[in-house]
Amino acid sequence: MVLFPKVLRIEPASKCNLGCVHCPTGTIEMERGIMTPDVFSKILSEIKNNKDNIKIIVLYHGGEPFLNKNFFKMVKEIKEINNNFYIKTVSNGTVLNEKIIDQIVCGDIDLIEFSLDGYSPADSEKIRKKSNTNKIIENIKKLLEKKKKLKSKIKIQICNTQFISDKKNSTSLSTPDWILEIFKNEDTTFKSFFAMQWPSMHEKELNEFDKMLISEDDKDYCDHVINTMTIRSDGTVVPCCYDLTTQLKMGNVMNDSLKNIWNNSDYDKLRVSIKSKKYISICKNCNVVRSPVYLVPKKNFL
């Protein structure tokens, strides 16, 4: 068993300014906040104590990271511990402005992903409720322009979530033409996913969708509990990036060291349950170890 994970996921903000239909952050009501300096200070001390083990730090979990006004201070302080840490974040692109763009390209983030969903700009706004696709594209273009001007080495990736649909009669996955056309001459990479049923989502959150089960054998291994540790905005440690509603609390960084939490009895029980395929809590409905369940929009949704 790994004594300490190589990937640390930290959530600067559990709040989000959008309400995406395929994401528990946008569909499930619960208290969400911004990580306080006190919580981050404790995490920072833990990073110092475990800097030889950590390789990657992801400043993102369930919310929009740039809602945290201290985001770039967090990045700077992490890099001061070890400049070789690879830092990644994910944004919906809505809150970018000139100041944030300057801080991105002049800062120490190694990779930032932006999300644009569906098979058209109109699809994206139906999926990513409260969003303005044209504004998001404009913001990303401004960032790319500044990146080019200043010869910044930051990597920009456009991510796209799609829905398996009867009318498309296909389960092939590729970046839609509308996104490729918009960014065809830009220094970007692309990544696509199918929208899945998250473990914590309930039927009432899925009333616009049918489901498609892809039958697979249960698995006895999950890399999330072996190589990645996730800390929510309030300091709570959860087992993986799929636990967006804090279903399974492994501990809290304000009460114990991350190394102690990583090696505690709760984590041991979770790892044993996966190894034996006697899944507990959110693992019972998780697409990583169980047969994946994808969301299929009902008629006229897209």
Side-chain angles (χ1 to χ4, degrees):
M1 198 271 294
V2 180
L3 292 179
F4 199 83
K6 64 182 180 180
V7 181
L8 198 62
R9 179 182 291 270
I10 303 166
E11 183 179 57
S14 58
K15 285 185 177 181
C16 187
N17 57 331
L18 299 187
C20 303
V21 298
H22 59 302
C23 173
T25 301
T27 59
I28 295 177
E29 291 293 331
M30 61 177 289
E31 185 176 349
R32 304 180 189 279
I34 305 294
M35 181 172 283
T36 66
D38 285 345
V39 173
F40 181 69
S41 178
K42 183 64 167 66
I43 294 171
L44 203 64
S45 67
E46 291 294 311
I47 293 174
K48 290 177 183 177
N49 293 337
N50 298 283
K51 62 182 180 181
D52 293 334
N53 300 96
I54 300 168
K55 306 299 180 186
I56 300 170
I57 294 180
V58 182
L59 285 172
Y60 169 76
H61 183 53
E64 168 53 47
F66 295 135
L67 294 180
N68 190 321
K69 304 300 183 183
N70 295 315
F71 179 87
F72 294 100
K73 184 174 183 287
M74 296 165 73
V75 174
K76 181 177 181 293
E77 291 179 338
I78 289 170
K79 283 286 191 175
E80 285 175 349
I81 295 173
N82 185 346
N83 193 52
N84 291 321
F85 286 149
Y86 190 88
I87 299 182
K88 166 187 171 181
T89 193
V90 181
S91 173
N92 59 42
T94 60
V95 299
L96 294 191
N97 54 35
E98 186 174 346
K99 180 180 178 180
I100 291 176
I101 288 172
D102 285 345
Q103 289 175 302
I104 291 173
V105 297
C106 296
D108 293 311
I109 305 173
D110 294 283
L111 169 66
I112 181 168
E113 297 179 356
F114 292 102
S115 302
L116 291 167
D117 294 341
Y119 298 99
S120 71
D123 280 357
S124 193
E125 291 189 1
K126 287 182 180 179
I127 296 165
R128 307 186 69 77
K129 291 185 176 180
K130 304 178 186 177
S131 71
N132 181 321
T133 303
N134 289 335
K135 181 60 177 176
I136 293 170
I137 293 169
E138 178 186 336
N139 289 343
I140 298 173
K141 289 269 195 174
K142 287 180 179 178
L143 172 61
L144 288 164
E145 182 180 346
K146 183 60 71 75
K147 164 182 159 62
K148 183 177 181 180
K149 180 180 179 180
L150 298 182
K151 298 180 180 180
S152 170
K153 294 183 179 179
I154 186 173
K155 295 180 180 178
I156 309 295
Q157 189 164 62
I158 309 299
C159 296
N160 172 259
T161 298
Q162 304 168 20
F163 290 87
I164 295 176
S165 176
D166 291 337
K167 66 181 179 182
K168 302 236 176 242
N169 194 28
S170 172
T171 57
S172 62
L173 186 64
S174 60
T175 301
D177 290 341
W178 74 276
I179 291 178
L180 294 176
E181 180 63 25
I182 289 169
F183 296 100
K184 65 181 178 181
N185 296 318
E186 303 288 0
D187 184 15
T188 58
T189 57
F190 305 94
K191 185 165 62 174
S192 295
F193 315 89
F194 282 128
M196 68 176 188
Q197 179 179 348
W198 289 70
S200 57
M201 292 180 78
H202 308 297
E203 294 302 319
K204 64 180 181 180
E205 283 90 38
L206 299 171
N207 57 9
E208 295 174 308
F209 303 98
D210 293 320
K211 302 176 188 177
M212 180 180 290
L213 174 70
I214 308 297
S215 184
E216 294 180 359
D217 293 335
D218 288 345
K219 300 172 182 64
D220 64 358
Y221 177 82
C222 176
D223 191 67
H224 294 288
V225 299
I226 303 299
N227 287 311
T228 301
M229 192 175 210
T230 300
I231 311 167
R232 302 224 63 185
S233 64
D234 64 354
T236 300
V237 175
V238 294
C240 68
C241 58
Y242 295 103
D243 192 353
L244 293 182
T245 55
T246 317
Q247 297 293 303
L248 196 52
K249 298 180 181 180
M250 312 308 292
N252 192 296
V253 69
M254 301 305 286
N255 303 324
D256 204 352
S257 73
L258 290 182
K259 182 172 283 188
N260 283 346
I261 294 172
W262 182 251
N263 293 284
N264 68 19
S265 59
D266 290 330
Y267 255 116
D268 287 342
K269 290 175 184 176
L270 179 60
R271 295 183 184 109
V272 169
S273 71
I274 294 171
K275 185 65 179 176
S276 62
K277 300 183 182 180
K278 296 178 181 178
Y279 309 112
I280 61 174
S281 187
I282 61 171
C283 299
K284 294 178 180 178
N285 299 304
C286 179
N287 289 340
V288 174
V289 294
R290 308 300 305 274
S291 294
V293 179
Y294 296 106
L295 302 181
V296 180
K298 291 181 178 178
K299 188 176 181 180
N300 299 325
F301 176 71
L302 294 178

